[in-house]
Amino acid sequence: MFQKFLNLCDRTKFTRLETQNPFVSLYRRLHLERNSQNPASTLEPKTVQNNVGIFWDLDNKPPNSVPPFEAAIKLKKSISSLGVVKYMVAYANSHAFSYVPQVVREQREERKLFNQLENRGVIKPAEPYVCGVCGRRFYSNEKLVNHFKQIHEREQKKRLNQIESARGKRRVHLVGKYSMKMEKYKRAARAILTPKIGYGLADELKRAGFWVRTVSDKPQAADVALRNHMVDMMDKRHVECLVIVSDDSDFVDVLQEAKYRCLKTVVVGDINDGALKRIADASFSWRDILMGKAKKEAVSVVGKWEDRDILKRLEWTYSPEVEKKAHGWADGNKDADIDDATGANNADCIPKEDNGAWWELESSDAEAIS
């Protein structure tokens, strides 16, 4: 009776809330409709995705044939099929960032030749060159570059000087004030200006989301720094899947250590029979990454990993501590219980002592036979 009285009081309180606040009844109705439409939504198991870390050896595998930003974006999209990409790291020495590939050099030579022909009036562009900052139009690329350097590059330097000289709230205010203009300048400068060092490898990878680190010019300096970074990530358990973009066999030990720690390993390289690809769980080539085939293959790789995890869970392993808790065995009582059980079962099986020969029957047995 008392419980019925409490339930009645709760109902009256809820009806009062509904009359005072109509949103309570609306929330209740929507909640019931959602549960009725999908009653098993809470019972469905949640798929846990792997945390993936990409470690790029730029000394061994630079993106020479493809623009760096495009290569980095396609690599990230392909690897994202394996899990959630949490870390993207790239290491190289100063020579890798100052190096200009042959393809880029040929493009720059062609651009110089076109500029000379445009200045002489031999060639006229089909459409005028448009400044990405102010929108002005020019009929020669060289005039556009001079305009951009004389006006917009100077304005950018003034903004940077103002921000560096300011402190406190004024600096925060200037950063917010000039953020849109600075971003617009960077976007236009990438298409108009030629990078002063190399072909803009570091800036393009940073724009794609990579953490780029320059090491000393000593031999194997990038490999050592990259190897230490991967081991540190494994020690802190930040990643469940390790992706190495390299063909260097110096990373064999790191891959073996990752497999000992039950991590998934993936290698992106061009050598089909390389030492890294023989150890890794999966491997892709740069051609597959750029053409999009690696993204489709990654789905089947994840399916194989899930099947392997299920089989590992089904395997039986003997654990003494678990067996003791399950059967209630103390530290020293297990052998005593076994001895008692075997002694009780074998008590009737012990033969009685008999001094006579086996063919001589006892008196009681002889009387029973007669």
Side-chain angles (χ1 to χ4, degrees):
M1 291 293 293
F2 183 71
Q3 187 66 28
K4 292 181 179 179
F5 177 73
L6 291 177
N7 293 336
L8 181 61
C9 291
D10 293 337
R11 289 177 184 173
T12 53
K13 288 180 181 178
F14 195 80
T15 52
R16 288 178 183 175
L17 286 173
E18 285 184 344
T19 54
Q20 294 176 1
N21 192 355
F23 292 102
V24 175
S25 60
L26 179 62
Y27 172 78
R28 184 183 183 187
R29 189 183 308 160
L30 293 174
H31 183 70
L32 292 174
E33 288 178 358
R34 185 179 63 182
N35 291 339
S36 61
Q37 290 176 0
N38 193 6
S41 60
T42 57
L43 301 177
E44 293 179 356
K46 295 182 179 179
T47 57
V48 180
Q49 292 184 336
N50 299 318
N51 291 331
V52 183
I54 303 175
F55 300 91
W56 196 342
D57 183 12
L58 292 174
D59 287 349
N60 182 266
K61 195 59 61 182
N64 293 330
S65 60
V66 185
F69 180 77
E70 182 182 352
I73 291 298
K74 289 187 176 181
L75 176 63
K76 182 180 178 181
K77 286 183 179 179
S78 301
I79 300 301
S80 62
S81 301
L82 301 174
V84 181
V85 180
K86 288 291 187 71
Y87 303 96
M88 296 190 298
V89 182
Y91 279 85
N93 54 28
S94 59
H95 294 295
F97 295 116
S98 60
Y99 173 74
V100 180
Q102 183 66 26
V103 178
V104 179
R105 276 182 263 171
E106 292 176 358
Q107 292 176 354
R108 291 181 179 179
E109 291 295 331
E110 290 179 0
R111 185 69 262 176
K112 286 183 180 179
L113 181 60
F114 276 115
N115 290 342
Q116 293 176 1
L117 295 176
E118 285 176 354
N119 293 335
R120 294 175 185 174
V122 178
I123 297 176
K124 290 185 179 180
E127 295 181 357
Y129 299 99
V130 181
C131 177
V133 178
C134 62
R136 288 186 61 182
R137 299 183 177 184
F138 301 89
Y139 286 93
S140 67
N141 184 63
E142 192 170 348
K143 290 183 179 180
L144 172 63
V145 173
N146 293 334
H147 158 77
F148 195 86
K149 289 181 178 180
Q150 292 175 2
I151 298 178
H152 302 301
E153 193 173 13
R154 289 181 181 179
E155 292 177 352
Q156 179 73 0
K157 290 180 180 179
K158 289 181 181 178
R159 297 190 200 102
L160 293 175
N161 292 332
Q162 289 182 10
I163 293 173
E164 290 178 359
S165 61
R167 295 290 182 274
K169 294 183 179 179
R170 175 170 173 76
R171 182 165 187 168
V172 176
H173 174 71
L174 290 175
V175 170
K177 179 180 178 181
Y178 295 140
S179 60
M180 296 294 292
K181 293 182 180 179
M182 294 173 69
E183 186 64 27
K184 191 175 183 180
Y185 169 82
K186 290 179 181 178
R187 199 182 305 115
R190 283 193 292 268
I192 297 174
L193 299 180
T194 302
K196 296 180 180 178
I197 300 175
Y199 64 114
L201 176 61
D203 294 335
E204 292 296 294
L205 292 181
K206 289 178 182 178
R207 187 162 68 96
F210 273 82
W211 186 77
V212 182
R213 181 71 183 271
T214 306
V215 298
S216 62
D217 295 333
K218 296 180 180 179
Q220 305 297 325
D223 296 346
V224 173
L226 191 60
R227 192 185 305 114
N228 294 336
H229 198 148
M230 286 188 282
V231 172
D232 183 59
M233 286 290 178
M234 288 190 289
D235 291 338
K236 295 178 181 179
R237 298 182 180 179
H238 288 332
V239 293
E240 287 88 20
C241 180
L242 201 69
V243 180
I244 300 179
V245 185
S246 177
D247 284 325
D248 196 347
S249 59
D250 293 338
F251 297 106
V252 170
D253 297 337
V254 180
L255 281 183
Q256 290 178 346
E257 180 67 23
K259 290 180 75 67
Y260 291 152
R261 300 189 187 193
C262 299
L263 298 180
K264 282 86 173 177
T265 55
V266 180
V267 173
V268 178
D270 294 327
I271 300 178
N272 295 327
D273 297 331
L276 296 180
K277 289 189 176 182
R278 287 196 297 266
I279 299 174
D281 296 327
S283 60
F284 306 109
S285 65
W286 259 120
R287 186 177 181 182
D288 296 338
I289 294 289
L290 299 177
M291 295 180 65
K293 292 182 179 180
K295 189 173 183 180
K296 298 178 181 179
E297 294 177 1
V299 178
S300 61
V301 171
V302 173
K304 292 179 181 179
W305 288 348
E306 291 177 354
D307 296 341
R308 187 180 64 180
D309 294 339
I310 292 172
L311 291 175
K312 283 184 179 180
R313 290 173 197 160
L314 295 176
E315 291 179 357
W316 180 81
T317 55
Y318 175 73
S319 177
E321 300 295 333
V322 175
E323 294 294 331
K324 285 180 181 180
K325 292 180 181 179
H327 297 286
W329 291 334
D331 294 336
N333 296 335
K334 178 181 177 181
D335 297 334
D337 295 342
I338 294 174
D339 293 339
D340 295 341
T342 55
N345 294 331
N346 298 331
D348 298 332
C349 299
I350 299 174
K352 298 179 181 179
E353 294 182 0
D354 190 4
N355 297 329
W358 61 273
W359 63 84
E360 294 179 358
L361 299 175
E362 296 182 358
S363 60
S364 59
D365 296 336
E367 292 175 358
I369 293 171
S370 60

